[in-house]
Amino acid sequence: MNKALHKTPVIDLESHPSFSMQWSPARDGRPTPAQDNAPGADPTLNPTLGGTEGHGPREDGASDPGVPDPGVIDRVIDEVSGWLRKRQNDDGHWVFELEADATIPSEYILLNHFLDEIDDAREQKIAVYLRRIQGAHGGWPLFHDGDFDMSASVKAYYALKLVGDHPDAPHMVRAREAILKRGGAARANVFTRYTLAMFGQVPWRACPVARVEAMLLPRWFPFHLDKVSYWSRTVMVPLFVLYSRRARAVNPRGVEVSELFVTPPEKERKYHSNPTGHWMGSLLLKVDAIARLFEPLFPVSGERKATEKALKFVEERLNGVDGLGGIYPAIANCLMVYHTLGYPKDHPHVRTARKAVDGLIVDKGDHAYVQPCLSPVWDTGLASLAMQETIAQGRGGLSDAAPAAQDSAIAGACAWLRDRQILDTVGDYAAWKPGLRPGGWAFQYNNAHYPDVDDTAVIGMLLDRARDPKNKEAIDRAAEWIAGLQSRNGGWGAFDADNEYYVLNHIPFADHGALLDPPTVDVTARCVGFLAQIGDPKYTPVIDRALAFLKSEQEPDGSWFGRWGTNYIYGTWSALAAFNAVGEDPQAPHIQAAVAWLKRRQQADGGWGEGCESYWADKRDFVKASTPTQTSWAVLGLMAAGEVDSDAVRKGIAYLSHAPREEGRWTEELYNAVGFPRIFYLKYHGYPAFFPLWALSRYRNLTRGNSRRVSWGI
């Protein structure tokens, strides 16, 4: 069957109530909904790009950057797909760097000094990186060119001092002044204060009570590990042990940072604050204070039993050299626990965890940084989908005979992914979905206890589109697993179902607001796209509930919140792709509202951009500059909504055709994703290759083929 003409089965679904929005600040980290500023908007931020001004040749004879040039599009697609093919590993997978902020590299240095495993050569390279990303404000931001962040700044300053930077060095003076100006290190977040306590820089009363006895609590208790997200679980369990044992860093050089405090740490009385401002937060602060008074009375036998249970939890999920949970904070906490409990350095668990941490380092020669985790499965899925789009049509028209090299690239990727499907290990999701057969994929190379719903849906669409009979069993198991993890409200979270115990976001420990994994629009949209694409009628009721969830989550201005990508552009593209996958009428009010929102957000250069700042309510419409990644999401979203021939799409494609590239990857400094809104941001280095290639190829296919309709779930 001709790939480009394959039709997604259109599922007949009854209409759903028009969108409305009810939201509590404790829900998922999104800012309070606000109307788009289009009426009376600043034209320098949100120009309306209607009409056909600028079309045609320029006076200098060059092609107009506002009009897509078919020859340029072909050339760019060929160059980028060729570059991407060369970046594929021999076994078929792709993996690109995943960069965060100063926090993880700083924590790596702190970890080495906690353990007395100092690596001066490597730490000096990380120090170069930390100095380079220091902000003009003197501190360190959460993302490129972002505002000052207290916790990132305190950790970066401490890390640089540990590697030998003198406090009187100009960059250290600027950092210290910026920290003190904003209240000092006592205002750092909870996790930073735990680190400072372990290094003896603040008293333990600066940290919320986090006793290991929490491991023994029954599920009916307000707090239970099953009620928090996977990332919280894997970070908290070893942290419980560290807190209960009052872990102490070796800190062989005796480095301290008392100069970062406005009030001496031992005299400071205002370490804790209500994380949400809600009365429940105030109440739980009092509960925390009472629990602190009773800590000396806790029986040693209970602590011992709980510690044994914590260690068992960790050891069942050590995950080889991929580490506990596959994420840096959990792996580092695991290493510190082993040190605190006296495990020898040559113990197999210690050696394995150490390899997992060191495996996250990116060494650039003159500098280095540490990734929060690895993203090979996600990268491989997205790269393959982009490559599939490039071979759906050759220059001369639709073709079944794709270039052999590109076919082999996708076949190799699919084979690699099939081998990584989790079919035997029952993950933590079974606590709420017992009996559900495994069938998902993890985000990392290996993380069997924590398969990722988003990855699984993307890979399911890739395998289905490949039309290889070898993929059928993998697709069937993935669909069964995804359908089984649908939450009661019709949506999907990233790892768990119904993880909506919002009261936990009020506890003092949760000042980061990222304790939970509730259903989100982007993950739900991906699941709808996958289930609609495979066209199995038994999943119609599942899709029906999901569509109702998506419509209920639309913002008043027509956009959708983007939980895992920055931000409303990502969420809106995701939702529009899902509605297209089920054959929803592009003229439906909710789709037209989204289209209008995207068009209002287009910039004067034809691109789209949205700052990471948009996760704060007062900066919801913040734009620094157009980016290739966000432009691609917007164009893909508009094309899914039937806007292939619109002026907005043409100008977006023209922007991508002419935007600067470094070989096969578009130039993009700004961050493009989010770990936890307002807390932790990410830059996927592969995004500026995958998504522009995908958008350009899809535009070529739709404008030169026999149909203007996107035929796939994403």
Side-chain angles (χ1 to χ4, degrees):
M1 180 181 291
N2 191 302
K3 296 179 182 178
L5 290 178
H6 170 71
K7 292 292 185 182
T8 302
V10 177
I11 301 173
D12 292 326
L13 298 164
E14 295 180 359
S15 60
H16 299 283
S18 61
F19 55 88
S20 62
M21 179 67 188
Q22 299 294 327
W23 177 71
S24 163
R27 192 171 85 186
D28 58 7
R30 78 178 73 184
T32 302
Q35 292 290 342
D36 188 85
N37 64 354
D42 180 351
T44 63
L45 292 181
N46 300 308
T48 299
L49 297 179
T52 58
E53 292 81 6
H55 289 196
R58 300 189 319 199
E59 292 182 3
D60 59 7
S63 61
D64 190 327
V67 179
D69 182 322
V72 172
I73 291 174
D74 287 337
R75 176 173 53 79
V76 173
I77 290 172
D78 289 346
E79 290 176 1
V80 177
S81 60
W83 176 86
L84 194 57
R85 178 65 185 88
K86 292 176 183 177
R87 290 293 304 267
Q88 188 176 27
N89 287 280
D90 291 341
D91 61 5
H93 85 283
W94 281 273
V95 62
F96 288 84
E97 295 169 32
L98 180 59
E99 187 175 2
D101 54 50
T103 305
I104 302 296
S106 301
E107 288 177 356
Y108 179 87
I109 293 173
L110 286 157
L111 173 67
N112 283 352
H113 290 251
F114 179 100
L115 301 171
D116 191 14
E117 296 179 4
I118 297 171
D119 184 338
D120 282 319
R122 179 171 282 171
E123 291 172 29
Q124 286 298 332
K125 288 187 177 184
I126 294 174
V128 172
Y129 172 83
L130 291 174
R131 295 184 204 108
R132 285 182 182 176
I133 64 172
Q134 186 176 16
H137 41 60
W140 280 263
L142 295 175
F143 44 82
H144 177 75
D145 197 28
D147 293 338
F148 172 93
D149 180 77
M150 178 62 77
S151 297
S153 298
V154 168
K155 285 183 176 178
Y157 180 96
Y158 203 166
L160 289 173
K161 194 172 180 183
L162 284 168
V163 302
D165 285 19
H166 197 280
D168 292 335
H171 66 285
M172 297 291 277
V173 172
R174 288 194 299 115
R176 184 167 63 253
E177 289 176 349
I179 290 168
L180 293 173
K181 178 182 178 181
R182 293 165 175 82
R187 303 283 78 81
N189 66 20
V190 162
F191 287 118
T192 302
R193 280 182 270 136
Y194 280 116
T195 299
L196 292 173
M198 288 188 284
F199 274 80
Q201 302 306 296
V202 298
W204 278 99
R205 62 179 172 78
C207 306
V209 174
R211 297 287 309 180
V212 72
E213 287 86 349
M215 299 294 301
L216 306 177
L217 294 173
R219 188 185 284 184
W220 55 260
F221 198 78
F223 176 86
H224 190 274
L225 281 179
D226 290 344
K227 296 178 179 179
V228 300
S229 64
Y230 119 71
W231 56 83
S232 299
R233 231 171 284 149
T234 54
V235 170
M236 290 167 70
V237 169
L239 186 60
F240 288 160
V241 178
L242 294 171
Y243 174 89
S244 300
R245 294 298 179 104
R246 299 299 193 265
R248 190 62 180 259
V250 177
N251 193 10
R253 295 173 180 171
V255 177
E256 51 85 29
V257 287
S258 59
E259 68 270 23
L260 296 185
F261 292 84
V262 175
T263 301
E266 64 278 4
K267 295 181 179 179
E268 176 65 57
R269 289 292 179 266
K270 296 181 179 179
Y271 284 109
H272 304 287
S273 62
N274 182 345
T276 62
H278 193 276
W279 66 265
M280 181 67 73
S282 298
L283 174 63
L284 291 172
L285 278 175
K286 294 177 182 177
V287 172
D288 181 81
I290 293 170
R292 194 179 310 282
L293 293 175
F294 283 92
E295 274 197 276
L297 304 179
F298 286 14
V300 174
S301 59
E303 180 183 329
R304 184 182 304 114
K305 181 179 179 181
T307 300
E308 291 173 358
K309 188 171 183 179
L311 289 174
K312 182 179 179 182
F313 174 94
V314 168
E315 288 168 9
E316 286 178 355
R317 295 161 178 79
L318 271 178
N319 202 28
V321 295
D322 292 278
L324 176 62
I327 52 176
Y328 175 87
I331 305 168
N333 284 352
C334 184
L335 269 174
M336 290 189 283
V337 163
Y338 289 146
H339 171 85
T340 299
L341 296 180
Y343 281 52
K345 293 186 185 298
D346 62 353
H347 190 284
H349 292 345
V350 176
R351 291 202 309 268
T352 300
R354 184 74 227 193
K355 287 180 182 177
V357 164
D358 291 340
L360 295 172
I361 296 170
V362 174
D363 192 322
K364 296 286 195 177
D366 65 329
H367 70 281
Y369 71 91
V370 185
Q371 301 173 96
C373 61
L374 302 176
S375 55
V377 173
W378 185 241
D379 288 343
T380 300
L382 294 176
S384 299
L385 283 166
M387 292 289 282
Q388 278 183 328
E389 201 72 38
T390 70
I391 66 173
Q393 177 181 305
R395 294 186 184 183
L398 299 178
S399 171
D400 288 321
Q406 292 177 328
D407 265 351
S408 66
I410 294 170
C414 289
W416 185 84
L417 288 167
R418 286 197 305 270
D419 288 344
R420 272 170 171 70
Q421 189 174 22
I422 302 164
L423 300 174
D424 300 319
T425 301
V426 176
D428 285 7
Y429 58 82
W432 300 105
K433 295 290 185 178
L436 180 60
R437 284 203 305 171
W441 278 267
F443 181 81
Q444 303 90 346
Y445 285 103
N446 296 287
N447 197 8
H449 280 83
Y450 304 109
D452 184 320
V453 173
D454 209 3
D455 283 73
T456 301
V458 163
I459 293 162
M461 286 185 275
L462 164 69
L463 296 179
D464 175 72
R465 186 170 177 178
R467 292 294 181 257
D468 185 340
K470 296 176 184 176
N471 297 337
K472 185 180 186 307
E473 183 180 357
I475 295 167
D476 291 344
R477 288 289 294 269
E480 176 188 332
W481 183 75
I482 281 180
L485 274 178
Q486 187 175 32
S487 294
R488 288 186 293 268
N489 65 6
W492 279 269
F495 300 92
D496 287 293
D498 300 307
N499 193 239
E500 298 185 89
Y501 300 91
Y502 297 114
V503 66
L504 296 179
N505 276 343
H506 297 292
I507 65 177
F509 184 89
D511 70 345
H512 56 302
L515 211 60
L516 306 177
D517 179 21
T520 64
V521 166
D522 40 9
V523 177
T524 301
R526 228 81 71 206
C527 294
V528 169
F530 169 45
L531 296 177
Q533 182 176 309
I534 64 175
D536 190 330
K538 70 183 176 185
Y539 295 120
T540 299
V542 175
I543 294 172
D544 191 21
R545 292 193 298 272
L547 291 175
F549 171 80
L550 290 177
K551 290 179 181 180
S552 74
E553 291 290 295
Q554 191 170 22
E555 304 283 338
D557 63 9
S559 67
W560 277 273
F561 176 78
R563 167 60 181 85
W564 295 102
T566 309
N567 172 353
Y568 295 99
I569 297 174
Y570 183 83
T572 303
W573 157 59
S574 300
L576 288 174
F579 287 122
N580 170 75
V582 299
E584 195 109 338
D585 182 1
Q587 298 306 311
H590 59 287
I591 294 179
Q592 283 302 300
V595 167
W597 180 84
L598 280 171
K599 288 182 177 179
R600 291 197 301 269
R601 301 299 295 170
Q602 193 170 25
Q603 302 300 299
D605 59 6
W608 278 262
E610 184 178 355
C612 295
E613 293 87 347
S614 66
Y615 287 95
W616 280 269
D618 62 337
K619 295 184 177 180
R620 189 184 188 282
D621 300 319
F622 192 92
V623 179
K624 275 197 178 80
S626 296
T627 71
T629 294
Q630 290 166 322
T631 299
S632 302
W633 294 336
V635 168
L636 287 166
L638 288 171
M639 289 191 288
E643 294 284 322
V644 178
D645 296 317
S646 70
D647 195 58
V649 167
R650 285 196 295 268
K651 289 191 175 184
I653 291 296
Y655 167 87
L656 292 175
S657 300
H658 296 91
R661 281 185 293 121
E662 297 176 8
E663 295 187 85
R665 184 163 43 195
W666 276 255
T667 303
E668 187 169 286
E669 286 189 305
L670 297 174
Y671 278 35
N672 47 36
V674 61
F676 311 120
R678 303 188 299 278
I679 299 297
F680 190 69
Y681 292 83
L682 299 168
K683 179 180 179 180
Y684 285 88
H685 285 229
Y687 277 16
F690 313 150
F691 287 112
L693 176 63
W694 196 339
L696 290 171
S697 300
R698 176 156 292 174
Y699 178 79
R700 181 174 72 176
N701 295 338
L702 294 176
T703 55
R704 301 184 198 176
N706 297 323
S707 173
R708 289 295 200 264
R709 180 177 179 270
V710 176
S711 300
W712 309 103
I714 188 173

